[in-house]
Amino acid sequence: MSRPRSTNKLILFFVALAAALLAVWLFWSFEPDVRALLGRRMGTSPSPSVDTIVAAVKLFLLGILGYLLVRALNSFFFELAFRLKRIDAPTLIRNIFTIVAFSIFFLIAFTFLFPDVNLGALFTTSAIFGVILGLALQDTLGNFFSGISLQADRPFQVGDVIAVGAQRHTGVVEEISWRAIKIRTFTNHVVLIANSTAAKEPIEVFPRDNLNARVVWFNTLYTDSPAKTIHVVREAVREAENVSDKVTPVVRIRNLGDNGVDYEVKYWPEDYAKYNDTDALVRQRIWYAFRRAGLNFAYPTRTLYVERPSKAAARDVDGGAIAERLSAVDLFAPLSADETGLLAQAAVRHVFAPGEMVIRAGDPGSSMFVVHNGRVQVQINENGRSRSIATLNEGDFFGEMALFTGEPRTANVVALEETEVLEIGHAAMKRVFDANPDLVESLSFIIAERRQGLTSLADVALPVAHTSAGILSSIKRFFGL
Ligand code: CMP
């Protein structure tokens, strides 16, 4: 069985304290015997050298006792008293307290045990002592006083991200001690920067409780519209994880470059320490948004003449795969091959990144989707938290409720992995209904079933038509059948 570390430390402390107290008590009780023994060994009794040895041993023992007491006082004061007020005492302050308290204790013990020695004179007259001490402690004292000024100034705190000096050591501040600032870099290395070095270098601070901006660059072809690019990127970035919703991302043209239009997107991460991941996610979201919106990244251009298969042939291969997918959807089972082919021609493909929202509850919608590749999750709002109610795989469909009834979207649908969906709009569906009115009935049945599930689960208020008959008539009305 392992005890917690604090209990072990406490036990060790009490054992050491008991040993020190015992040693002091023993030495004081047997002092006459020790003096007699020393006197016999050293010839004369009593002599000044015996006094000095006894006083030095006493000073040593009292020093140990004093050190333990100062440690106890330190723990009591900073861990107990400061914790009560929920303040974390900086290491530097604790160290200064220990040094000052121990020095006072030691000086009192020294003057008490060596009353003949004038300490003041010893320090003031010993110029050599001063020079040696000054030289030896030059760096240490420099660090110490820089550390004090850092604590007093408080330009940053533990938990903030800082970048120090020309080498730009960047990381999260873990500790500010009397000697150095300890930062943990984003590659999980620890870097120690001496306080005196930090005092001379410029330090960039990204405080934890502040919205610090990031800038990510990308580019497009000259043929892509800036207004469309700015809108598409802004919407894609504001949805990304760790991007603060307090400030809307800013997308702007940075330069008209050699290969295309250079843009920057400025966003504000909620947790700045995760900016590497968030920058990467922002770039990923831009890629997917570009793909869906038909925008193109610029790259160094050369004019090449390449023989390509004809566009019609490419469309045939694509169209074949889509028609095959749609004919396997159970909802479209009553359709003939020609009708499915018509739907396939009208279907538009979209790719979504993992975690991206395909449909947002409450939005208006006039299209439905079939999962072509990947998986999506249907989520509803329950007491302000989202809860998954279904996972849809390749060949499943969603978004039919808003399309067929004209009501707002009833749930969020989120891509679980990179997912390709086929979007089918109102006009294409109307053509199919006109050709095959039986479809409406089976569809209203599915909608009624899903709707039943939703009302029993969610805190969503759904409009009146709950039964499949009610839905059937609302579809007919909406599609003018
Ligand atoms: P719509 O309301 O247009 O948008 C959200 C979609 O989530 C909805 O259409 C349905 O396609 C889908 N949905 C809602 N409830 C369920 C469910 N219980 N099982 C599967 N899909 C659902």
PDB file of all heavy atoms in Angstrom, residues 359 378 389-390 392 397-403 408-411 413 450 453-454, ligand 1:
ATOM      1  N   ILE A 359     -25.698  20.109 -40.985  1.00  0.00           N
ATOM      2  CA  ILE A 359     -27.013  20.729 -40.812  1.00  0.00           C
ATOM      3  C   ILE A 359     -27.076  21.270 -39.398  1.00  0.00           C
ATOM      4  O   ILE A 359     -26.628  20.611 -38.457  1.00  0.00           O
ATOM      5  CB  ILE A 359     -28.114  19.661 -41.002  1.00  0.00           C
ATOM      6  CG1 ILE A 359     -28.413  19.452 -42.484  1.00  0.00           C
ATOM      7  CG2 ILE A 359     -29.378  20.058 -40.282  1.00  0.00           C
ATOM      8  CD1 ILE A 359     -29.520  18.456 -42.719  1.00  0.00           C
ATOM      9  N   VAL A 378     -26.501  12.291 -35.776  1.00  0.00           N
ATOM     10  CA  VAL A 378     -27.638  13.192 -35.578  1.00  0.00           C
ATOM     11  C   VAL A 378     -27.666  13.549 -34.096  1.00  0.00           C
ATOM     12  O   VAL A 378     -27.623  12.678 -33.236  1.00  0.00           O
ATOM     13  CB  VAL A 378     -28.963  12.499 -35.975  1.00  0.00           C
ATOM     14  CG1 VAL A 378     -30.128  13.482 -35.865  1.00  0.00           C
ATOM     15  CG2 VAL A 378     -28.871  11.954 -37.392  1.00  0.00           C
ATOM     16  N   ILE A 389     -28.427  11.027 -31.153  1.00  0.00           N
ATOM     17  CA  ILE A 389     -29.581  10.125 -31.172  1.00  0.00           C
ATOM     18  C   ILE A 389     -29.459   9.073 -32.271  1.00  0.00           C
ATOM     19  O   ILE A 389     -30.158   8.077 -32.241  1.00  0.00           O
ATOM     20  CB  ILE A 389     -30.931  10.871 -31.312  1.00  0.00           C
ATOM     21  CG1 ILE A 389     -30.921  11.814 -32.519  1.00  0.00           C
ATOM     22  CG2 ILE A 389     -31.304  11.592 -30.068  1.00  0.00           C
ATOM     23  CD1 ILE A 389     -32.306  12.273 -32.884  1.00  0.00           C
ATOM     24  N   ALA A 390     -28.601   9.304 -33.241  1.00  0.00           N
ATOM     25  CA  ALA A 390     -28.438   8.280 -34.280  1.00  0.00           C
ATOM     26  C   ALA A 390     -27.123   8.505 -35.019  1.00  0.00           C
ATOM     27  O   ALA A 390     -26.634   9.624 -35.101  1.00  0.00           O
ATOM     28  CB  ALA A 390     -29.595   8.354 -35.268  1.00  0.00           C
ATOM     29  N   LEU A 392     -25.497   7.724 -38.783  1.00  0.00           N
ATOM     30  CA  LEU A 392     -25.917   7.312 -40.125  1.00  0.00           C
ATOM     31  C   LEU A 392     -24.684   6.967 -40.954  1.00  0.00           C
ATOM     32  O   LEU A 392     -23.679   7.688 -40.925  1.00  0.00           O
ATOM     33  CB  LEU A 392     -26.713   8.437 -40.786  1.00  0.00           C
ATOM     34  CG  LEU A 392     -27.937   8.941 -39.985  1.00  0.00           C
ATOM     35  CD1 LEU A 392     -28.604  10.108 -40.692  1.00  0.00           C
ATOM     36  CD2 LEU A 392     -28.937   7.817 -39.763  1.00  0.00           C
ATOM     37  N   PHE A 397     -29.853   8.400 -45.334  1.00  0.00           N
ATOM     38  CA  PHE A 397     -30.186   9.770 -45.757  1.00  0.00           C
ATOM     39  C   PHE A 397     -30.640  10.580 -44.559  1.00  0.00           C
ATOM     40  O   PHE A 397     -31.016  10.035 -43.517  1.00  0.00           O
ATOM     41  CB  PHE A 397     -31.271   9.741 -46.838  1.00  0.00           C
ATOM     42  CG  PHE A 397     -32.565   9.166 -46.356  1.00  0.00           C
ATOM     43  CD1 PHE A 397     -33.563   9.982 -45.835  1.00  0.00           C
ATOM     44  CD2 PHE A 397     -32.780   7.787 -46.403  1.00  0.00           C
ATOM     45  CE1 PHE A 397     -34.740   9.442 -45.371  1.00  0.00           C
ATOM     46  CE2 PHE A 397     -33.967   7.244 -45.936  1.00  0.00           C
ATOM     47  CZ  PHE A 397     -34.948   8.074 -45.419  1.00  0.00           C
ATOM     48  N   PHE A 398     -30.584  11.911 -44.692  1.00  0.00           N
ATOM     49  CA  PHE A 398     -31.048  12.805 -43.626  1.00  0.00           C
ATOM     50  C   PHE A 398     -31.430  14.153 -44.249  1.00  0.00           C
ATOM     51  O   PHE A 398     -31.139  14.398 -45.419  1.00  0.00           O
ATOM     52  CB  PHE A 398     -29.989  13.001 -42.531  1.00  0.00           C
ATOM     53  CG  PHE A 398     -28.685  13.557 -43.028  1.00  0.00           C
ATOM     54  CD1 PHE A 398     -28.448  14.931 -43.026  1.00  0.00           C
ATOM     55  CD2 PHE A 398     -27.692  12.727 -43.512  1.00  0.00           C
ATOM     56  CE1 PHE A 398     -27.256  15.445 -43.491  1.00  0.00           C
ATOM     57  CE2 PHE A 398     -26.500  13.230 -43.980  1.00  0.00           C
ATOM     58  CZ  PHE A 398     -26.275  14.595 -43.975  1.00  0.00           C
ATOM     59  N   GLY A 399     -32.080  15.004 -43.411  1.00  0.00           N
ATOM     60  CA  GLY A 399     -32.445  16.338 -43.891  1.00  0.00           C
ATOM     61  C   GLY A 399     -33.751  16.328 -44.660  1.00  0.00           C
ATOM     62  O   GLY A 399     -34.155  17.336 -45.243  1.00  0.00           O
ATOM     63  N   GLU A 400     -34.435  15.151 -44.693  1.00  0.00           N
ATOM     64  CA  GLU A 400     -35.663  15.041 -45.481  1.00  0.00           C
ATOM     65  C   GLU A 400     -36.827  15.797 -44.845  1.00  0.00           C
ATOM     66  O   GLU A 400     -37.739  16.239 -45.530  1.00  0.00           O
ATOM     67  CB  GLU A 400     -36.016  13.560 -45.700  1.00  0.00           C
ATOM     68  CG  GLU A 400     -36.625  12.832 -44.511  1.00  0.00           C
ATOM     69  CD  GLU A 400     -35.692  12.690 -43.328  1.00  0.00           C
ATOM     70  OE1 GLU A 400     -34.486  12.812 -43.516  1.00  0.00           O
ATOM     71  OE2 GLU A 400     -36.181  12.469 -42.202  1.00  0.00           O
ATOM     72  N   MET A 401     -36.770  15.963 -43.482  1.00  0.00           N
ATOM     73  CA  MET A 401     -37.927  16.562 -42.802  1.00  0.00           C
ATOM     74  C   MET A 401     -38.148  17.995 -43.270  1.00  0.00           C
ATOM     75  O   MET A 401     -39.260  18.371 -43.649  1.00  0.00           O
ATOM     76  CB  MET A 401     -37.695  16.541 -41.297  1.00  0.00           C
ATOM     77  CG  MET A 401     -37.695  15.149 -40.725  1.00  0.00           C
ATOM     78  SD  MET A 401     -37.706  15.259 -38.947  1.00  0.00           S
ATOM     79  CE  MET A 401     -37.687  13.553 -38.503  1.00  0.00           C
ATOM     80  N   ALA A 402     -37.088  18.803 -43.245  1.00  0.00           N
ATOM     81  CA  ALA A 402     -37.224  20.199 -43.665  1.00  0.00           C
ATOM     82  C   ALA A 402     -37.566  20.270 -45.149  1.00  0.00           C
ATOM     83  O   ALA A 402     -38.395  21.076 -45.573  1.00  0.00           O
ATOM     84  CB  ALA A 402     -35.943  20.963 -43.375  1.00  0.00           C
ATOM     85  N   LEU A 403     -36.921  19.393 -45.944  1.00  0.00           N
ATOM     86  CA  LEU A 403     -37.160  19.431 -47.397  1.00  0.00           C
ATOM     87  C   LEU A 403     -38.633  19.158 -47.717  1.00  0.00           C
ATOM     88  O   LEU A 403     -39.237  19.845 -48.530  1.00  0.00           O
ATOM     89  CB  LEU A 403     -36.258  18.408 -48.102  1.00  0.00           C
ATOM     90  CG  LEU A 403     -36.604  18.134 -49.563  1.00  0.00           C
ATOM     91  CD1 LEU A 403     -36.412  19.379 -50.409  1.00  0.00           C
ATOM     92  CD2 LEU A 403     -35.753  17.002 -50.127  1.00  0.00           C
ATOM     93  N   PRO A 408     -38.306  24.238 -40.142  1.00  0.00           N
ATOM     94  CA  PRO A 408     -36.862  24.358 -39.890  1.00  0.00           C
ATOM     95  C   PRO A 408     -36.249  22.990 -39.551  1.00  0.00           C
ATOM     96  O   PRO A 408     -36.964  22.071 -39.154  1.00  0.00           O
ATOM     97  CB  PRO A 408     -36.776  25.285 -38.673  1.00  0.00           C
ATOM     98  CG  PRO A 408     -38.113  25.905 -38.538  1.00  0.00           C
ATOM     99  CD  PRO A 408     -39.104  25.004 -39.175  1.00  0.00           C
ATOM    100  N   ARG A 409     -34.917  22.907 -39.677  1.00  0.00           N
ATOM    101  CA  ARG A 409     -34.202  21.663 -39.371  1.00  0.00           C
ATOM    102  C   ARG A 409     -34.435  21.276 -37.918  1.00  0.00           C
ATOM    103  O   ARG A 409     -34.392  22.137 -37.029  1.00  0.00           O
ATOM    104  CB  ARG A 409     -32.692  21.843 -39.575  1.00  0.00           C
ATOM    105  CG  ARG A 409     -32.292  22.236 -41.002  1.00  0.00           C
ATOM    106  CD  ARG A 409     -32.418  21.077 -41.940  1.00  0.00           C
ATOM    107  NE  ARG A 409     -31.845  21.363 -43.248  1.00  0.00           N
ATOM    108  CZ  ARG A 409     -32.110  20.624 -44.319  1.00  0.00           C
ATOM    109  NH1 ARG A 409     -32.937  19.614 -44.258  1.00  0.00           N
ATOM    110  NH2 ARG A 409     -31.544  20.909 -45.461  1.00  0.00           N
ATOM    111  N   THR A 410     -34.690  19.988 -37.665  1.00  0.00           N
ATOM    112  CA  THR A 410     -35.054  19.558 -36.307  1.00  0.00           C
ATOM    113  C   THR A 410     -33.857  19.129 -35.474  1.00  0.00           C
ATOM    114  O   THR A 410     -33.970  18.956 -34.264  1.00  0.00           O
ATOM    115  CB  THR A 410     -36.009  18.353 -36.389  1.00  0.00           C
ATOM    116  OG1 THR A 410     -35.393  17.394 -37.252  1.00  0.00           O
ATOM    117  CG2 THR A 410     -37.349  18.766 -36.921  1.00  0.00           C
ATOM    118  N   ALA A 411     -32.709  18.893 -36.102  1.00  0.00           N
ATOM    119  CA  ALA A 411     -31.548  18.383 -35.342  1.00  0.00           C
ATOM    120  C   ALA A 411     -30.265  18.866 -36.005  1.00  0.00           C
ATOM    121  O   ALA A 411     -30.276  19.323 -37.142  1.00  0.00           O
ATOM    122  CB  ALA A 411     -31.594  16.853 -35.330  1.00  0.00           C
ATOM    123  N   VAL A 413     -26.695  17.795 -37.598  1.00  0.00           N
ATOM    124  CA  VAL A 413     -26.061  16.602 -38.159  1.00  0.00           C
ATOM    125  C   VAL A 413     -24.587  16.947 -38.357  1.00  0.00           C
ATOM    126  O   VAL A 413     -24.249  17.930 -39.011  1.00  0.00           O
ATOM    127  CB  VAL A 413     -26.719  16.171 -39.489  1.00  0.00           C
ATOM    128  CG1 VAL A 413     -26.025  14.946 -40.049  1.00  0.00           C
ATOM    129  CG2 VAL A 413     -28.195  15.882 -39.280  1.00  0.00           C
ATOM    130  N   ARG A 450     -39.249   9.045 -37.403  1.00  0.00           N
ATOM    131  CA  ARG A 450     -38.116   9.819 -36.883  1.00  0.00           C
ATOM    132  C   ARG A 450     -38.618  10.918 -35.950  1.00  0.00           C
ATOM    133  O   ARG A 450     -38.024  11.217 -34.926  1.00  0.00           O
ATOM    134  CB  ARG A 450     -37.312  10.443 -38.023  1.00  0.00           C
ATOM    135  CG  ARG A 450     -36.442   9.417 -38.738  1.00  0.00           C
ATOM    136  CD  ARG A 450     -35.506  10.052 -39.730  1.00  0.00           C
ATOM    137  NE  ARG A 450     -34.559   9.067 -40.256  1.00  0.00           N
ATOM    138  CZ  ARG A 450     -33.634   9.337 -41.155  1.00  0.00           C
ATOM    139  NH1 ARG A 450     -33.518  10.555 -41.638  1.00  0.00           N
ATOM    140  NH2 ARG A 450     -32.807   8.407 -41.570  1.00  0.00           N
ATOM    141  N   GLY A 453     -39.436   9.677 -32.548  1.00  0.00           N
ATOM    142  CA  GLY A 453     -38.194   9.526 -31.759  1.00  0.00           C
ATOM    143  C   GLY A 453     -37.739  10.849 -31.203  1.00  0.00           C
ATOM    144  O   GLY A 453     -37.364  10.971 -30.040  1.00  0.00           O
ATOM    145  N   LEU A 454     -37.829  11.881 -32.010  1.00  0.00           N
ATOM    146  CA  LEU A 454     -37.339  13.212 -31.600  1.00  0.00           C
ATOM    147  C   LEU A 454     -38.168  13.775 -30.462  1.00  0.00           C
ATOM    148  O   LEU A 454     -37.638  14.264 -29.485  1.00  0.00           O
ATOM    149  CB  LEU A 454     -37.430  14.177 -32.779  1.00  0.00           C
ATOM    150  CG  LEU A 454     -36.253  14.183 -33.739  1.00  0.00           C
ATOM    151  CD1 LEU A 454     -36.498  15.175 -34.844  1.00  0.00           C
ATOM    152  CD2 LEU A 454     -34.978  14.546 -33.001  1.00  0.00           C
TER     153      LEU A 454
HETATM  154  P1  CMP B   1     -34.241  17.769 -40.831  1.00  0.00           P
HETATM  155  O1  CMP B   1     -35.194  18.165 -39.760  1.00  0.00           O
HETATM  156  O2  CMP B   1     -34.406  18.368 -42.174  1.00  0.00           O
HETATM  157  O3  CMP B   1     -32.729  18.063 -40.300  1.00  0.00           O
HETATM  158  C1  CMP B   1     -32.208  17.265 -39.244  1.00  0.00           C
HETATM  159  C2  CMP B   1     -32.295  15.812 -39.644  1.00  0.00           C
HETATM  160  O4  CMP B   1     -31.913  14.842 -38.685  1.00  0.00           O
HETATM  161  C3  CMP B   1     -33.755  15.448 -39.898  1.00  0.00           C
HETATM  162  O5  CMP B   1     -34.251  16.170 -40.976  1.00  0.00           O
HETATM  163  C4  CMP B   1     -33.639  13.943 -40.056  1.00  0.00           C
HETATM  164  O6  CMP B   1     -33.203  13.586 -41.345  1.00  0.00           O
HETATM  165  C5  CMP B   1     -32.516  13.615 -39.080  1.00  0.00           C
HETATM  166  N1  CMP B   1     -33.105  12.908 -37.934  1.00  0.00           N
HETATM  167  C6  CMP B   1     -33.885  13.418 -36.988  1.00  0.00           C
HETATM  168  N2  CMP B   1     -34.234  12.443 -36.091  1.00  0.00           N
HETATM  169  C7  CMP B   1     -33.649  11.302 -36.501  1.00  0.00           C
HETATM  170  C8  CMP B   1     -33.597   9.952 -36.009  1.00  0.00           C
HETATM  171  N3  CMP B   1     -34.233   9.586 -34.886  1.00  0.00           N
HETATM  172  N4  CMP B   1     -32.875   9.030 -36.680  1.00  0.00           N
HETATM  173  C9  CMP B   1     -32.210   9.394 -37.790  1.00  0.00           C
HETATM  174  N5  CMP B   1     -32.232  10.644 -38.312  1.00  0.00           N
HETATM  175  C10 CMP B   1     -32.922  11.589 -37.669  1.00  0.00           C
END
